């Protein structure tokens, strides 16, 4: 029974390596003549067909490390047809069978966690420890999905009318797609496909073309775990692939995580083509720091939340609002002290605490905003521009940067920048700080640092954000809760993973039934409770 998945796994390993001999990412030197191509995974096998190719960089060196196939509409159609063909058998498989596959996948993923992490570091740039943490958080969703037999239980009522009973069920949608961002190439897809598969759907992943390799390794492990061919596919690519998924008549639902303008486009296009959609957008996550907070604890938490993964997290703290001038000056000094002490270097170096940004464009976007903030009147309390890492002079590095005296009119506050740039704002009171946060168009996450339980309770009740931390800087929910924001950070009604994830990937059916004791004449009357 396992021969076919194992054969697919061997093919995938050869495909990922790009040649018969296996070479580690740490020791591989690549020249333009031996660049491997990261391709698709369609109908249970690797597929390198491509009319167009894109570059995948090593952010630490700035060099092109491999190529990625950019799918055509025809490639997407092949994946969708394979998914549609596989759906009837997979959706009718027992919950026990689906759970067995997920348990097997969980074991494989746990064993190869470091392999996935190294791929992420090589293409995204984040440190290995950060990459390992990403995979571990995704693994938690897989473990949650292993409880699908409990999660899919319906409800029932007996004797709603004489000898009439009613029951409800959740059933899979069909073919669903996930379009995921570069900043978490393993975790964000795992927010989606474990539950989608557990619920009985076929799933097509369109990962970011900036760091595509982790997606193929996950596909390989799913095949090795016994997932039937066609149930999970990967199509690499750009907007061509995205639009093909959004408009394909055989795709029933789309999940997305990315920037707000793209999230709005995804949601509007998908729903216009009759699809269910959830699109998680951008963020400007705030931390409100009150004068009674432990400022050393707050500074530690804020520096970690702002500069971890080079600030390329949708839950990164990017704006701090301090109440009181004395609090502002002291906290800014403490945050700058901690940020200045961070070791910035290649993600594969165990000594590095912060790696490079993912692309040269991402690096230049950050430095441009720093200059713009300075022009608009902000004070550069810590300047990360011009950072040079020895031996990696062409890498996409920006050091931790802190702008003080920022106001709400400045572009560095209004815009999502997605880099190691923290802005510091001032408020005269708790209410003024809370109002400032609530006036922001984003509502992904928000945190408060205080020793006052009453203020914390007021904050959690009134703040207009989907995820709230109290003395916790990055309040990312565990897998059994759902992840998602409010306002311009979410388009759609349901968040990802947790109970809402199960609801998104299924639809309800209510059955009303009566079994007469003996044959009766036909009754055309409407049933009542009599």
């Amino acid at each position: 029974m396992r021969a076919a998945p194992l054969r697919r796994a061997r093919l995938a390993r050869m495909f990922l390596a790009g040649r018969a001999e296996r070479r580690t990412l740490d020791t591989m030197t690549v020249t333009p003549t031996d660049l491997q191509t990261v391709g698709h995974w369609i109908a249970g096998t690797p597929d390198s067909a491509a009319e167009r190719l894109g570059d995948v960089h090593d952010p630490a060196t700035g060099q092109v490390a491999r190529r990625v196939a950019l799918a055509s509409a025809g490639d997407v159609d092949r994946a969708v047809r394979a998914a549609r063909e596989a759906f009837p058998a997979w959706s009718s498989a027992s919950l026990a069978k689906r759970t067995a596959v997920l348990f097997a996948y969980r074991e494989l993923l746990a064993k190869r966690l470091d392999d996935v992490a190294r791929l992420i570091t090589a293409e995204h740039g984040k440190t290995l420890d950060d990459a390992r943490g990403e995979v571990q958080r995704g693994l938690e969703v897989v473990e949650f999905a292993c409880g699908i037999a409990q999660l899919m239980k319906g409800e029932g009522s007996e004797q709603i009318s004489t000898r009439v009973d009613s029951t409800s069920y959740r059933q899979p949608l069909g073919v669903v797609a996930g379009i995921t961002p570069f900043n978490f190439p393993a975790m964000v897809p795992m927010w989606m496909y474990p539950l989608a598969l557990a619920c009985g759907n076929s799933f097509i992943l369109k990962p970011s073309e900036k760091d595509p390799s982790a997606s193929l390794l996950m596909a390989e492990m799913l095949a090795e775990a016994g997932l039937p061919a066609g149930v999970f596919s990967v199509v690499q690519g750009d907007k061509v692939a995205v639009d093909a998924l959004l408009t394909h008549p055989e795709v029933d639902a789309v999940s997305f995580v990315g920037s707000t303008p793209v999230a709005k486009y995804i949601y509007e296009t998908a729903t216009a083509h009759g699809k269910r959609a959830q699109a998680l957008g951008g963020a400007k996550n705030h931390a409100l720091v009150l004068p009674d907070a432990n400022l050393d604890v707050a500074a530690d938490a804020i520096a970690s939340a702002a500069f971890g993964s080079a600030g390329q997290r949708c839950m990164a703290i990017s704006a701090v609002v301090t109440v009181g001038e004395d609090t502002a000056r002291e906290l800014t000094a403490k945050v700058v002290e901690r940020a200045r002490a961070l070791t910035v270097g290649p993600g594969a170096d165990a000594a590095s605490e912060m790696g490079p940004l993912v692309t040269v464009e991402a690096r230049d976007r950050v430095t441009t905003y720093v200059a713009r903030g300075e022009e608009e009147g902000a004070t550069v309390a810590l300047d990360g521009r011009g950072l040079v890492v020895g031996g990696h002079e062409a890498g996409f590095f920006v050091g931790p940067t802190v702008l003080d005296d920022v106001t709400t009119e400045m572009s560095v506050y209004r815009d999502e920048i997605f880099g190691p740039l923290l802005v510091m704002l001032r408020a005269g009171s708790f209410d003024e700080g809370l109002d400032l946060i609530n006036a922001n168009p984003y509502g992904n996450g928000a945190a408060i640092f205080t020793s006052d339980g009453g203020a914390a309770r007021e904050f959690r009740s009134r703040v207009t954000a989907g995820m709230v931390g109290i003395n916790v800087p990055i309040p990312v929910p565990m897998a059994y809760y759902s992840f998602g924001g409010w306002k311009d950070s979410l388009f759609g009604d349901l968040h990802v993973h947790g109970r809402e994830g199960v609801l998104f990937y299924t639809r309800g059916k209510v059955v009303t039934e009566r079994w007469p004791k003996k044959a009766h004449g036909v009754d055309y009357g409407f049933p009542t409770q009599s």
Side-chain angles (χ1 to χ4, degrees):
M1 289 177 60
R2 301 293 295 277
L6 288 172
R7 186 162 55 249
R8 292 194 297 269
R10 284 194 295 270
L11 284 169
R13 282 193 289 270
M14 292 175 63
F15 183 66
L16 278 168
R19 50 191 60 248
E21 66 271 24
R22 298 300 302 272
R23 297 174 296 174
T24 67
L25 288 168
D26 295 334
T27 61
M28 185 171 73
T29 57
V30 181
T31 63
T33 58
D34 70 352
L35 288 176
Q36 69 179 80
T37 296
V38 182
H40 318 298
W41 181 278
I42 298 175
T45 58
D47 187 327
S48 59
E51 298 175 358
R52 299 178 300 128
L53 295 174
D55 291 339
V56 180
H57 290 84
D58 177 347
T61 66
Q63 301 300 309
V64 176
R66 54 191 60 82
R67 310 287 188 193
V68 60
L70 301 176
S72 66
D75 296 325
V76 171
D77 182 63
R78 288 190 295 114
V80 174
R81 283 190 282 109
R84 182 58 66 185
E85 290 171 8
F87 172 69
W90 179 245
S91 62
S92 62
S94 69
L95 293 174
K97 169 62 178 175
R98 292 184 223 157
T99 302
V101 172
L102 287 167
F103 268 117
Y105 177 60
R106 187 261 174 215
E107 293 304 304
L108 290 167
L109 185 58
K111 289 178 182 177
R112 301 197 65 182
L113 187 149
D114 278 354
D115 293 339
V116 181
R118 281 192 289 270
L119 284 173
I120 294 169
T121 294
E123 295 180 347
H124 175 278
K126 66 178 65 176
T127 65
L128 272 172
D129 278 348
D130 202 0
R132 291 186 185 105
E134 168 185 345
V135 182
Q136 181 60 49
R137 290 307 303 266
L139 188 59
E140 293 166 4
V141 182
V142 178
E143 292 167 349
F144 175 71
C146 286
I148 195 63
Q150 175 70 21
L151 300 171
M152 289 280 281
K153 287 171 66 174
E155 298 177 317
S157 298
E158 188 180 42
Q159 201 71 358
I160 61 169
S161 186
T162 304
R163 293 187 301 277
V164 177
D165 306 322
S166 188
T167 50
S168 68
Y169 301 90
R170 304 295 304 181
Q171 294 185 328
L173 298 176
V175 177
V176 300
I179 301 167
T180 57
F182 73 86
N183 59 326
F184 289 102
M187 184 184 73
V188 172
M190 282 192 277
W191 284 354
M192 302 173 185
Y193 70 78
L195 273 179
L197 298 176
C199 290
N201 300 283
S202 297
F203 190 92
I204 299 171
L205 173 63
K206 205 302 287 181
S208 171
E209 66 275 23
K210 295 180 177 69
D211 43 15
S213 294
S215 62
L216 286 188
L217 185 51
M218 292 188 290
E220 172 191 338
M221 288 186 283
L222 282 167
E224 190 171 347
L227 189 70
V231 176
F232 180 84
S233 292
V234 177
V235 288
Q236 311 286 0
D238 51 14
K239 190 174 184 294
V240 173
V242 170
D243 286 342
L245 287 169
L246 295 178
T247 60
H248 199 292
E250 292 295 317
V251 174
D252 298 293
V254 175
S255 299
F256 171 82
V257 176
S259 69
T260 286
V262 180
K264 184 178 181 181
Y265 171 80
I266 295 286
Y267 182 79
E268 290 177 348
T269 306
T271 54
H273 286 81
K275 305 181 193 316
R276 182 178 293 186
Q278 57 180 180
L280 280 66
K284 199 73 176 181
N285 303 311
H286 293 71
L288 179 63
V289 183
L290 303 189
D292 61 14
N294 183 319
L295 295 187
D296 285 315
V297 170
D300 287 341
I302 289 166
S304 173
F307 304 122
S309 196
Q312 296 173 126
R313 293 171 173 162
C314 59
M315 286 297 287
I317 291 293
S318 54
V320 175
V321 182
T322 49
V323 175
E325 185 62 30
D326 291 343
T327 306
R329 284 198 302 270
E330 186 177 354
L331 180 67
T332 300
K334 289 178 180 293
V335 171
V336 167
E337 177 186 13
R338 286 154 175 78
R340 184 178 281 121
L342 288 174
T343 300
V344 182
D349 187 338
S352 297
E353 296 171 295
M354 190 182 102
L357 277 82
V358 67
T359 62
V360 67
E361 292 82 7
R363 180 199 66 192
D364 293 347
R365 175 178 172 84
V366 174
T367 58
T368 298
Y369 267 101
V370 176
R372 191 178 300 167
E374 197 172 13
E375 292 170 0
E376 293 173 344
T379 301
V380 182
L382 180 63
D383 195 342
R385 292 172 292 179
L387 175 69
V388 176
V389 176
H392 296 79
E393 289 78 8
F396 309 140
F397 292 97
V398 177
T401 302
V402 179
L403 295 185
D404 197 9
D405 303 308
V406 172
T407 64
T408 56
E409 295 80 21
M410 296 180 183
S411 59
V412 289
Y413 173 73
R414 295 196 315 270
D415 301 342
E416 182 185 35
I417 299 169
F418 224 62
L421 174 56
L422 178 67
V423 301
M424 312 291 289
L425 301 94
R426 286 155 166 74
S429 65
F430 169 84
D431 283 325
E432 182 183 331
L434 181 59
D435 289 344
L436 185 157
I437 294 170
N438 286 345
N440 192 275
Y442 295 111
N444 208 44
I448 185 171
F449 288 87
T450 181
S451 58
D452 184 339
R457 188 177 188 276
E458 186 79 1
F459 181 84
R460 80 181 188 194
S461 175
R462 290 172 52 194
V463 71
T464 53
M467 294 167 285
V468 179
I470 298 174
N471 298 316
V472 174
I474 305 180
V476 177
M478 297 297 288
Y480 35 85
Y481 287 92
S482 297
F483 180 103
W486 291 8
K487 299 189 289 189
D488 284 355
S489 295
L490 175 71
F491 296 87
D493 298 322
L494 295 172
H495 296 149
V496 294
H497 64 67
R499 179 60 181 167
E500 291 186 55
V502 176
L503 294 176
F504 181 79
Y505 290 120
T506 59
R507 52 188 171 186
K509 178 179 287 185
V510 179
V511 178
T512 304
E513 53 189 332
R514 177 174 62 187
W515 297 97
K517 290 183 178 179
K518 57 183 180 180
H520 289 276
V522 177
D523 180 5
Y524 292 100
F526 196 80
T528 68
Q529 296 185 30
S530 59

